[in-house]
């Protein structure tokens, strides 16, 4: 069991889309690919049904702020507000501990 754990941050983005989602999937993939190149990026989990939930993981608040201000990300944010989202909410949380379970096959 690994007892060493370094806290990190999670950005929880929840959203409800408008009916106009043309170009959304492509932009979402571009943003995920770009985020993976950013300093301090750890990972991402995402699910979409009626409500979309994307959680990205970062080493620091500074890394999150740099991502938020990235030029291409700013373009995507504006497009999201203008065309794709009827609602969204962002929460930034510090992860102090984690654990998981995986069934053995």
């Amino acid at each position: 069991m690994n007892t060493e754990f370094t806290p990190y941050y999670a950005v929880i983005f929840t959203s409800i889309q408008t009916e106009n989602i043309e170009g959304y999937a492509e932009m979402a993939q571009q943003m995920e690919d770009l985020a993976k190149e950013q300093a301090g990026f750890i990972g991402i989990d995402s699910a979409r049904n009626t409500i979309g939930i994307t959680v990205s993981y970062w080493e620091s608040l500074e890394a999150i702020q740099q991502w938020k201000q990235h030029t291409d990300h700013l373009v995507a944010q504006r497009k999201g507000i203008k065309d794709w989202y009827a609602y969204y909410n962002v929460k930034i949380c510090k992860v102090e501990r984690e654990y998981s379970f995986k069934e053995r096959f």
Side-chain angles (χ1 to χ4, degrees):
M1 181 169 145
N2 184 1
T3 58
E4 289 187 39
F5 180 81
T6 302
Y8 59 92
Y9 293 88
V11 177
I12 305 167
F13 179 81
T14 56
S15 63
I16 298 173
Q17 291 181 324
T18 63
E19 291 183 18
N20 174 23
I21 59 168
E22 184 178 339
Y24 177 81
E26 296 83 359
M27 181 67 82
Q29 187 61 57
Q30 287 176 355
M31 290 302 101
E32 182 175 334
D33 293 345
L34 185 60
K36 289 176 180 178
E37 297 174 2
Q38 303 310 301
F41 178 83
I42 298 171
I44 190 167
D45 295 316
S46 188
R48 175 161 293 285
N49 201 337
T50 303
I51 296 174
I53 302 172
T54 299
V55 184
S56 58
Y57 306 99
W58 301 85
E59 292 176 356
S60 67
L61 291 172
E62 294 78 17
I64 294 168
Q65 186 61 33
Q66 288 176 358
W67 171 238
K68 181 175 174 38
Q69 296 303 319
H70 188 286
T71 304
D72 293 339
H73 190 209
L74 287 170
V75 170
Q77 290 172 53
R78 285 193 282 277
K79 179 87 171 141
I81 291 168
K82 180 177 174 276
D83 294 330
W84 295 319
Y85 298 122
Y87 163 86
Y88 75 82
N89 179 270
V90 178
K91 295 177 179 73
I92 300 174
C93 309
K94 186 173 186 180
V95 179
E96 299 278 348
R97 187 180 127 191
E98 70 175 48
Y99 55 91
S100 60
F101 167 80
K102 181 178 179 181
E103 184 177 19
R104 291 181 223 152
F105 294 94

